[in-house]
Amino acid sequence: MAGSVIDVRVSRRVLWIGGDAYPLQHIARARQLVWWPPKRSRTVIRFVRQVFGLLFAVSLLSALTHNSTDQAQAAAVPGVLLLAGFAFCLYRFVTRLRQKPVYKLVIETSNAATTAVVSHNSWQITNLIQLIMEAIDNPQAEFALQVENLHVGDKITQYGDHNTGKRVGL
């Protein structure tokens, strides 16, 4: 998840989130959604399964290379694969355990619902929702602030001159 700072402002009855504009009279609802990371028990079970699968694959490879002419190299290959595979599984295990919940600001219009801002801070999203609702109720209201916005998943840009296609994992 990559993070960046995004400008959020209301001016002249229009909500601006980055370069996206939402006329306030067309906003039906603003709400917060929460994505919780997988439970720790599931993460631990998945890690144990991966380690057992890795041990099985390495033992199978070791049995296949057991009758090799060069015993030193044949014994080293499964050991190196075991070490590399375990390091990779351990890295993924630790990164999954360190995941924090992600809070999303969803703007619903008469047309569709759009995830406008994603953050690790629930208070930022709650504050934005309150400011947006106050701006809808008060036509004279204006505000401007900067919010750290997370980008979750792939980034696809297929509009205009700045077409980058699909960039994975940004």
Side-chain angles (χ1 to χ4, degrees):
M1 283 186 265
S4 64
V5 175
I6 190 168
D7 291 321
V8 178
R9 62 187 167 93
V10 168
S11 65
R12 298 187 193 145
R13 306 281 302 150
V14 177
L15 170 65
W16 290 90
I17 300 178
D20 298 335
Y22 302 92
L24 289 176
Q25 66 268 18
H26 294 294
I27 295 177
R29 178 167 71 163
R31 64 186 176 131
Q32 175 178 317
L33 292 178
V34 182
W35 174 83
W36 295 98
K39 292 184 178 181
R40 290 184 183 269
S41 60
R42 290 184 185 212
T43 304
V44 170
I45 290 170
R46 180 182 226 173
F47 173 72
V48 170
R49 285 181 181 168
Q50 288 174 346
V51 169
F52 278 125
L54 182 65
L55 288 172
F56 177 74
V58 167
S59 65
L60 184 65
L61 180 65
S62 178
L64 290 174
T65 60
H66 180 67
N67 293 333
S68 159
T69 56
D70 191 4
Q71 290 294 326
Q73 285 183 348
V77 170
V80 169
L81 289 177
L82 177 65
L83 186 62
F86 183 74
F88 178 71
C89 290
L90 186 63
Y91 169 75
R92 286 183 48 168
F93 175 65
V94 170
T95 54
R96 284 187 178 135
L97 284 179
R98 295 183 67 204
Q99 286 180 334
K100 297 185 280 185
V102 175
Y103 302 92
K104 303 175 183 181
L105 168 64
V106 178
I107 303 290
E108 294 185 12
T109 61
S110 58
N111 185 23
T114 305
T115 300
V117 178
V118 180
S119 177
H120 284 301
N121 300 323
S122 67
W123 60 268
Q124 280 185 329
I125 303 300
T126 304
N127 185 31
L128 271 174
I129 291 171
Q130 289 175 350
L131 289 172
I132 291 168
M133 291 300 118
E134 288 172 9
I136 289 173
D137 290 339
N138 180 7
Q140 305 301 325
E142 291 191 11
F143 69 86
L145 55 116
Q146 291 185 332
V147 178
E148 183 174 350
N149 185 40
L150 299 174
H151 183 82
V152 181
D154 302 337
K155 184 172 184 175
I156 300 174
T157 307
Q158 297 179 337
Y159 306 110
D161 296 339
H162 305 292
N163 183 351
T164 59
K166 180 179 178 180
R167 298 189 315 187
V168 179
L170 294 177

